[in-house]
Amino acid sequence: MSGFVPHARDAGLAAWACHAAFSRGRRIDEPPAPTRSAFQRDRDRIVHSTAFRRLVYKTQVFLNHEGDLFRTRLTHSLEVAQLGRSMAHSLGLNEDLVEAIALAHDLGHTPFGHAGQDALDACMAPHGGFEHNLQSLRVVDRLEQRYPAWDGLNLSFETREGILKRCPIELARRWEIEEPAGVGQRFVLGHSPSLEAQLTNLADEIAYNAHDVDDGFRSGLLTLGQLREVALFETHHQSALAEHPRLASLPPRRLVAEIVRRMLSAQVYDLIEASRAAIDLAAPQSADEARAQPRLVQFSPEMRQAGTEMKRFLFGSLYRHPQVTEKAQAARQVVADLFSIYRAKPAEWPAEATGVGEPSRRLADYIAGMTDRFAIREHQRLTGQRLFPE
Ligand code: MG
């Protein structure tokens, strides 16, 4: 672990921020980079990784090949980084760390979004299951093979801590034996992650609620009338029209864009204000003192409720829309078929060259790393079936 190395990027950070100079270091010690802080270096390693490049061809909610206008995991990750950085700055938190966590947070996602994950989890049930958040850490810790002396990207503790949002307690205890005081520790102790990690988590929520409204409307799966039943949307629908009456006579896309912008701003300002009040009250004097507190980065109770209502609406009306569930069903079949065919015919996949661990885990790593279109093509090659017409 590296010791104290002052870094100019730490100037201006609050006492409760993660300072690069006080990083708990990397699993394998490395000399500091001459021009970059530890977290800038993490960000750069993530951007240059193979898993990051694949995010452009992975689905968020809509299937990647359905159109060029919708979010992919890559554009989603960039939006999370943008929102996270701007909020971090206002709270005196480390923007570089937030950016690194944001860009890495979805690296473990399978093709086809949550449908793909559920199918792979079911296939892996007898072998320890599959969870995308654990997989994101596995990608940066083990699966990227780019360095001569180690597997993975050898990221700083704080970036890895932020990537690992959830961890089953038995697994955390096992990790604590292998890597004492590591990323599993907080789950054992019941502590919070850093404020930067908490912030990125909520930036993720703000981003996907907003862009699912935008993509949902753009795709025609959600109507303006439906969206207006959600309080958060309707409040800003009214304020946008009151301030810009001409929006009523323009194509509705402009109105929705303005409403989404207002929803984003309202959540960002609410989060900054509520979090600043909670931080002032707790007055942590260091990042570790902040970790020992309940989560301090938060929305006001009213905004939390508004966000929950929005999520419930999106779940019922968009994620459960017949057109989405029909594709999700086909996606689950692709993943399940690939898993069973590869299991039966190891010659069909690069079993030796892929991943680390038991054959079933290596297979899960291989499938999880696929882009949507590669999975579709492989499925067609192996089954002769075309589940997603071009
Ligand atoms: Mg996300």
Side-chain angles (χ1 to χ4, degrees):
M1 300 271 162
S2 46
F4 176 83
V5 183
H7 202 283
R9 297 289 291 184
D10 286 343
L13 294 184
W16 49 80
C18 285
H19 292 63
F22 300 121
S23 169
R24 292 192 203 169
R26 303 176 189 279
R27 294 206 290 178
I28 298 157
D29 207 5
E30 292 181 66
T35 58
R36 296 169 294 166
S37 77
F39 307 136
Q40 287 180 295
R41 194 184 208 181
D42 287 352
R43 186 261 333 264
D44 296 348
R45 289 181 178 187
I46 291 158
V47 167
H48 289 279
S49 69
T50 307
F52 186 74
R53 280 196 297 283
R54 288 191 185 136
L55 292 179
V56 71
Y57 298 115
K58 289 202 183 196
T59 302
Q60 191 74 18
V61 171
F62 297 90
L63 292 176
N64 190 268
H65 68 276
E66 281 194 343
D68 295 340
L69 294 174
F70 304 121
R71 267 72 170 186
T72 67
R73 292 240 169 247
L74 181 67
T75 56
H76 163 70
S77 301
L78 295 173
E79 289 180 17
V80 175
Q82 182 277 317
L83 288 165
R85 282 196 82 122
S86 68
M87 293 189 287
H89 185 77
S90 297
L91 292 169
L93 295 174
N94 195 317
E95 289 182 52
D96 297 331
L97 175 56
V98 167
E99 184 178 25
I101 299 170
L103 296 181
H105 86 283
D106 273 352
L107 290 181
H109 266 288
T110 60
F112 314 118
H114 284 275
Q117 152 170 300
D118 293 347
L120 194 52
D121 185 36
C123 297
M124 286 295 287
H127 316 283
F130 179 91
E131 205 272 328
H132 69 87
N133 183 239
L134 289 171
Q135 188 72 6
S136 293
L137 188 67
R138 186 170 162 80
V139 166
V140 299
D141 276 359
R142 305 186 67 172
L143 298 184
E144 283 289 324
Q145 316 249 307
R146 316 179 65 79
Y147 290 87
W150 58 72
D151 288 343
L153 302 176
N154 197 32
L155 301 180
S156 308
F157 168 85
E158 292 78 6
T159 303
R160 299 172 57 235
E161 170 195 32
I163 293 172
L164 188 65
K165 270 196 298 201
R166 288 178 292 277
C167 183
I169 187 78
E170 320 81 62
L171 188 60
R173 290 210 181 95
R174 217 158 61 225
W175 285 356
E176 267 303 282
I177 297 168
E178 293 164 22
E179 187 193 341
V183 288
Q185 189 184 46
R186 77 179 171 88
F187 298 96
V188 178
L189 297 179
H191 280 183
S192 302
S194 71
L195 298 181
E196 283 82 356
Q198 296 175 34
L199 178 73
T200 313
N201 202 356
L202 294 182
D204 187 21
E205 268 186 43
I206 296 176
Y208 64 66
N209 279 340
H211 61 53
D212 289 349
V213 165
D214 197 38
D215 285 351
F217 179 75
R218 201 184 274 273
S219 64
L221 299 187
L222 296 177
T223 64
L224 197 58
Q226 276 179 302
L227 285 161
R228 290 189 57 189
E229 286 165 25
V230 187
L232 185 63
F233 187 92
E234 178 57 8
T235 307
H236 298 290
H237 176 256
Q238 287 179 16
S239 75
L241 282 175
E243 206 174 319
H244 302 285
R246 71 186 282 261
L247 280 174
S249 53
L250 293 174
R253 245 194 307 154
R254 277 227 229 184
L255 173 61
V256 171
E258 178 59 21
I259 296 167
V260 167
R261 178 161 41 245
R262 283 166 187 246
M263 280 174 23
L264 282 175
S265 298
Q267 291 171 90
V268 162
Y269 297 140
D270 180 273
L271 182 144
I272 291 169
E273 202 180 309
S275 306
R276 198 179 277 156
I279 292 170
D280 283 350
L281 198 63
Q285 291 308 301
S286 67
D288 276 344
E289 282 189 27
R291 287 184 177 101
Q293 296 279 339
R295 288 173 185 252
L296 299 175
V297 179
Q298 53 189 255
F299 292 111
S300 68
E302 300 75 41
M303 189 58 86
R304 162 72 32 219
Q305 205 192 328
T308 305
E309 189 202 349
M310 176 60 84
K311 249 189 258 183
R312 211 174 291 138
F313 165 76
L314 287 171
F315 189 82
S317 303
L318 182 62
Y319 313 145
R320 285 285 155 91
H321 189 287
Q323 236 170 287
V324 174
T325 52
E326 191 188 307
K327 301 277 182 189
Q329 182 48 41
R332 278 193 290 272
Q333 197 187 328
V334 166
V335 170
D337 287 349
L338 286 179
F339 191 89
S340 62
I341 294 170
Y342 289 139
R343 282 280 286 187
K345 303 179 187 169
E348 296 292 348
W349 65 290
E352 292 316 309
T354 310
V356 267
E358 296 295 305
S360 54
R361 181 59 59 189
R362 289 210 307 270
L363 179 50
D365 290 338
Y366 180 58
I367 294 174
M370 290 180 178
T371 61
D372 294 9
R373 57 185 192 174
F374 182 75
I376 292 169
R377 244 186 273 138
E378 273 294 273
H379 185 264
Q380 197 178 337
R381 177 178 76 82
L382 294 164
T383 65
Q385 284 174 273
R386 205 154 130 180
L387 293 184
F388 293 90
E390 303 274 329

Coordinates of all heavy atoms in Angstrom, one line a residue, residues 260-299:
V260 N -37.6 16.8 -18.8 CA -36.5 15.9 -18.3 C -35.4 16.8 -17.8 O -34.9 16.5 -16.7 CB -36.0 15.0 -19.4 CG1 -34.7 14.3 -19.0 CG2 -37.1 14.0 -19.8
R261 N -35.1 17.9 -18.5 CA -34.0 18.8 -18.0 C -34.4 19.3 -16.6 O -33.6 19.4 -15.7 CB -33.8 19.9 -19.0 CG -32.7 20.9 -18.5 CD -32.2 21.7 -19.7 NE -33.2 22.1 -20.7 CZ -33.2 21.7 -21.9 NH1 -32.3 20.9 -22.4 NH2 -34.2 22.1 -22.7
R262 N -35.6 19.7 -16.4 CA -36.1 20.3 -15.2 C -36.1 19.2 -14.1 O -35.8 19.5 -12.9 CB -37.5 20.9 -15.3 CG -37.4 22.3 -16.0 CD -38.7 22.8 -16.5 NE -38.5 24.0 -17.3 CZ -38.9 25.2 -16.9 NH1 -39.6 25.4 -15.8 NH2 -38.7 26.2 -17.7
M263 N -36.5 18.0 -14.4 CA -36.5 16.9 -13.4 C -35.1 16.7 -12.9 O -34.8 16.4 -11.8 CB -37.1 15.6 -14.1 CG -38.6 15.6 -14.1 SD -39.3 14.2 -15.0 CE -38.0 13.0 -14.9
L264 N -34.1 16.6 -13.9 CA -32.7 16.4 -13.5 C -32.2 17.5 -12.6 O -31.7 17.2 -11.5 CB -31.8 16.4 -14.8 CG -31.9 15.1 -15.7 CD1 -31.0 15.4 -16.9 CD2 -31.3 13.9 -14.9
S265 N -32.5 18.7 -13.0 CA -32.0 19.8 -12.1 C -32.6 19.8 -10.7 O -31.9 20.0 -9.7 CB -32.3 21.2 -12.7 OG -31.7 21.3 -14.0
A266 N -33.9 19.5 -10.7 CA -34.6 19.5 -9.4 C -34.0 18.4 -8.5 O -33.8 18.7 -7.3 CB -36.1 19.3 -9.6
Q267 N -33.7 17.3 -9.0 CA -33.2 16.2 -8.2 C -31.7 16.5 -7.8 O -31.3 16.2 -6.7 CB -33.2 14.9 -9.0 CG -34.6 14.4 -9.2 CD -34.7 13.2 -10.1 OE1 -34.6 12.0 -9.7 NE2 -34.8 13.4 -11.4
V268 N -31.0 17.1 -8.7 CA -29.6 17.4 -8.4 C -29.5 18.5 -7.3 O -28.8 18.3 -6.3 CB -28.9 18.0 -9.7 CG1 -27.6 18.7 -9.3 CG2 -28.6 16.8 -10.6
Y269 N -30.3 19.5 -7.4 CA -30.3 20.6 -6.4 C -30.8 20.0 -5.0 O -30.3 20.4 -4.0 CB -31.1 21.8 -6.8 CG -30.5 22.5 -8.0 CD1 -31.3 23.0 -9.1 CD2 -29.1 22.6 -8.2 CE1 -30.7 23.5 -10.2 CE2 -28.5 23.1 -9.3 CZ -29.3 23.6 -10.3 OH -28.8 24.2 -11.4
D270 N -31.9 19.2 -5.1 CA -32.4 18.6 -3.9 C -31.4 17.8 -3.2 O -31.2 17.9 -2.0 CB -33.6 17.8 -4.2 CG -34.2 17.1 -3.0 OD1 -33.8 16.0 -2.6 OD2 -35.2 17.8 -2.4
L271 N -30.7 16.9 -4.0 CA -29.7 16.1 -3.4 C -28.5 16.9 -2.7 O -28.1 16.6 -1.6 CB -29.1 15.1 -4.4 CG -28.1 14.1 -3.9 CD1 -28.2 12.7 -4.6 CD2 -26.7 14.6 -4.0
I272 N -28.1 17.9 -3.4 CA -27.0 18.7 -2.9 C -27.4 19.4 -1.6 O -26.7 19.3 -0.6 CB -26.6 19.8 -3.9 CG1 -25.9 19.1 -5.1 CG2 -25.6 20.8 -3.3 CD1 -25.7 20.1 -6.3
E273 N -28.6 19.9 -1.5 CA -29.1 20.6 -0.3 C -29.3 19.6 0.8 O -28.8 19.9 2.0 CB -30.4 21.3 -0.7 CG -30.7 22.5 0.3 CD -32.0 23.2 -0.1 OE1 -32.2 23.5 -1.3 OE2 -32.9 23.3 0.8
A274 N -30.0 18.5 0.6 CA -30.3 17.6 1.7 C -29.0 16.9 2.2 O -28.8 16.7 3.4 CB -31.2 16.5 1.2
S275 N -28.0 16.7 1.3 CA -26.8 16.0 1.7 C -25.9 17.0 2.4 O -25.3 16.7 3.4 CB -26.0 15.5 0.5 OG -26.8 14.7 -0.3
R276 N -25.9 18.3 2.0 CA -25.1 19.3 2.7 C -25.6 19.4 4.1 O -24.8 19.5 5.1 CB -25.1 20.6 1.9 CG -24.0 21.5 2.3 CD -24.0 22.8 1.6 NE -23.4 22.7 0.3 CZ -23.7 23.5 -0.7 NH1 -24.6 24.4 -0.6 NH2 -23.1 23.4 -1.9
A277 N -26.9 19.4 4.3 CA -27.5 19.6 5.7 C -27.1 18.4 6.5 O -26.7 18.5 7.7 CB -29.0 19.7 5.6
A278 N -27.2 17.1 5.9 CA -26.8 15.9 6.7 C -25.3 15.9 7.0 O -24.9 15.5 8.1 CB -27.2 14.7 5.9
I279 N -24.5 16.4 6.1 CA -23.0 16.4 6.3 C -22.7 17.4 7.4 O -21.9 17.2 8.3 CB -22.3 16.7 5.0 CG1 -22.4 15.5 4.1 CG2 -20.8 16.9 5.3 CD1 -21.9 15.8 2.7
D280 N -23.4 18.6 7.3 CA -23.1 19.6 8.3 C -23.5 19.1 9.7 O -22.8 19.4 10.7 CB -23.9 20.9 8.0 CG -23.3 21.7 6.9 OD1 -22.2 21.4 6.5 OD2 -24.0 22.6 6.4
L281 N -24.6 18.4 9.8 CA -25.0 17.9 11.1 C -24.1 16.9 11.7 O -23.7 16.9 12.9 CB -26.4 17.3 10.9 CG -27.3 17.1 12.2 CD1 -27.6 18.5 12.8 CD2 -28.6 16.4 11.8
A282 N -23.6 16.0 10.8 CA -22.8 14.9 11.3 C -21.3 15.4 11.5 O -20.6 14.9 12.3 CB -22.8 13.7 10.3
A283 N -21.0 16.4 10.7 CA -19.6 17.0 10.7 C -18.5 16.0 10.8 O -17.6 16.1 11.6 CB -19.5 18.0 12.0
P284 N -18.4 15.1 9.8 CA -17.3 14.2 9.8 C -16.0 14.9 9.5 O -16.0 15.8 8.6 CB -17.7 13.2 8.7 CG -18.6 13.9 7.8 CD -19.3 14.9 8.7
Q285 N -14.9 14.5 10.1 CA -13.6 15.2 9.9 C -12.7 14.5 8.9 O -11.6 14.9 8.7 CB -12.9 15.4 11.3 CG -13.6 16.4 12.2 CD -13.9 17.7 11.5 OE1 -13.0 18.4 11.1 NE2 -15.2 18.1 11.4
S286 N -13.2 13.3 8.4 CA -12.4 12.6 7.5 C -13.3 11.7 6.7 O -14.5 11.5 7.1 CB -11.4 11.7 8.2 OG -12.0 10.7 8.9
A287 N -12.8 11.1 5.6 CA -13.6 10.1 4.8 C -14.0 8.9 5.7 O -15.1 8.4 5.6 CB -12.8 9.7 3.6
D288 N -13.1 8.5 6.6 CA -13.5 7.4 7.5 C -14.5 7.7 8.5 O -15.4 6.9 8.8 CB -12.2 6.8 8.2 CG -11.4 5.9 7.3 OD1 -12.0 5.4 6.3 OD2 -10.2 5.6 7.6
E289 N -14.5 8.9 9.0 CA -15.6 9.3 9.9 C -16.9 9.4 9.2 O -18.0 9.0 9.7 CB -15.3 10.7 10.5 CG -14.3 10.6 11.7 CD -14.1 11.9 12.4 OE1 -15.1 12.8 12.5 OE2 -13.0 12.2 12.9
A290 N -16.9 9.8 7.9 CA -18.1 9.8 7.1 C -18.6 8.3 6.9 O -19.8 8.0 6.9 CB -17.9 10.5 5.8
R291 N -17.7 7.4 6.7 CA -18.1 6.0 6.4 C -18.7 5.4 7.7 O -19.5 4.4 7.6 CB -16.8 5.1 6.1 CG -16.3 5.4 4.7 CD -15.1 4.4 4.5 NE -14.6 4.5 3.1 CZ -13.4 5.2 2.8 NH1 -12.8 5.8 3.7 NH2 -13.0 5.2 1.6
A292 N -18.3 5.9 8.9 CA -18.9 5.3 10.1 C -20.3 5.8 10.4 O -21.0 5.3 11.3 CB -18.0 5.6 11.3
Q293 N -20.8 6.8 9.6 CA -22.1 7.3 9.8 C -23.1 6.6 8.9 O -22.7 6.0 7.9 CB -22.1 8.8 9.3 CG -21.3 9.7 10.1 CD -22.0 10.2 11.4 OE1 -23.2 10.1 11.5 NE2 -21.2 10.6 12.4
P294 N -24.4 6.7 9.2 CA -25.4 6.2 8.2 C -25.2 7.1 7.0 O -24.6 8.1 7.0 CB -26.7 6.5 8.9 CG -26.5 7.1 10.2 CD -25.0 7.2 10.4
R295 N -25.8 6.7 5.8 CA -25.5 7.4 4.6 C -25.9 8.9 4.7 O -27.0 9.2 5.1 CB -26.3 6.7 3.5 CG -25.7 5.4 3.1 CD -26.6 4.6 2.1 NE -26.0 3.3 1.9 CZ -25.3 3.0 0.7 NH1 -25.3 3.8 -0.3 NH2 -24.8 1.8 0.6
L296 N -25.0 9.7 4.3 CA -25.2 11.2 4.4 C -25.6 11.8 3.1 O -26.1 12.9 3.0 CB -23.9 11.8 5.0 CG -23.5 11.4 6.4 CD1 -22.1 12.0 6.7 CD2 -24.5 11.7 7.4
V297 N -25.2 11.1 2.0 CA -25.6 11.6 0.7 C -27.1 11.1 0.4 O -27.3 9.9 0.5 CB -24.7 11.1 -0.4 CG1 -25.2 11.7 -1.8 CG2 -23.3 11.6 -0.1
Q298 N -28.0 12.0 0.3 CA -29.4 11.6 0.3 C -30.3 12.7 -0.4 O -29.9 13.8 -0.6 CB -29.8 11.5 1.7 CG -29.5 12.7 2.6 CD -29.8 12.5 4.1 OE1 -30.8 13.0 4.6 NE2 -28.9 11.7 4.7
F299 N -31.5 12.3 -0.8 CA -32.5 13.2 -1.2 C -33.3 13.6 0.0 O -33.3 13.0 1.1 CB -33.5 12.5 -2.2 CG -32.9 12.1 -3.5 CD1 -32.7 10.8 -3.8 CD2 -32.6 13.1 -4.4 CE1 -32.1 10.4 -5.0 CE2 -32.0 12.7 -5.7 CZ -31.8 11.4 -6.0

